[in-house]
Amino acid sequence: MTRAFIDHFPGNEVAADALERGSLRRTLEAMRACAGLSRRDNTDINLLSAVLEREREREILGTFTVFDGRNEPDIGAVGEVREMLDLTDRGQAIDACVRSLRRIAHIRSICRARIDAEKVLLGR
């Protein structure tokens, strides 16, 4: 999943100076080399998230509200109203990258917990 994310990362579309572009390239190369599992922290994910969220902010057209729930005949509407971002097509693609990155971070945390538990159980 990490390698697929890296292959589809919109690196050429990100507005960045030469230093930030080099930092992004090095971060992506390190993630590709180890599938993102060698690090004990999320500095690489935090860097990529910050860049993607900055780019997504530039693609916001406005907001709209969405009701997430159901209509119960006895009591009425049950659920919540959420405010959603109205994004351009590019913004939606960037938002998909942000969601993928969050999934990677979640999977990483599960893998780390499993590895740590295994070390404890094996007495290492």
Side-chain angles (χ1 to χ4, degrees):
M1 183 175 184
T2 302
R3 290 185 180 119
F5 169 80
I6 293 166
D7 290 340
H8 293 98
F9 186 79
N12 294 333
E13 298 177 22
V14 173
D17 61 11
L19 290 174
E20 189 174 45
R21 196 168 294 282
S23 182
L24 287 173
R25 184 182 45 76
R26 285 187 300 277
T27 299
L28 292 170
E29 287 172 1
M31 284 179 74
R32 180 184 298 281
C34 301
L37 293 177
S38 66
R39 298 188 66 100
R40 298 302 299 170
D41 60 6
N42 284 330
T43 54
D44 52 353
I45 287 181
N46 294 339
L47 172 72
L48 295 173
S49 292
V51 169
L52 289 173
E53 288 172 5
R54 181 188 69 210
E55 290 295 312
R56 184 180 60 190
E57 290 295 318
R58 295 178 179 159
E59 301 298 321
I60 296 175
L61 299 173
T63 60
F64 60 94
T65 56
V66 174
F67 175 69
D68 186 17
R70 63 186 182 286
N71 193 12
E72 290 290 327
D74 298 333
I75 57 176
V78 177
E80 65 181 5
V81 175
R82 293 184 292 141
E83 191 168 341
M84 304 292 291
L85 297 175
D86 187 14
L87 298 168
T88 63
D89 291 338
R90 180 176 180 267
Q92 290 174 4
I94 292 170
D95 193 53
C97 284
V98 170
R99 287 193 309 274
S100 293
L101 199 54
R102 287 181 186 149
R103 265 186 256 131
I104 291 169
H106 179 71
I107 290 168
R108 249 192 204 181
S109 67
I110 291 169
C111 290
R112 285 182 189 140
R114 186 171 179 167
I115 290 168
D116 292 343
E118 188 175 300
K119 286 179 182 178
V120 169
L121 290 174
L122 294 176
R124 292 184 184 172

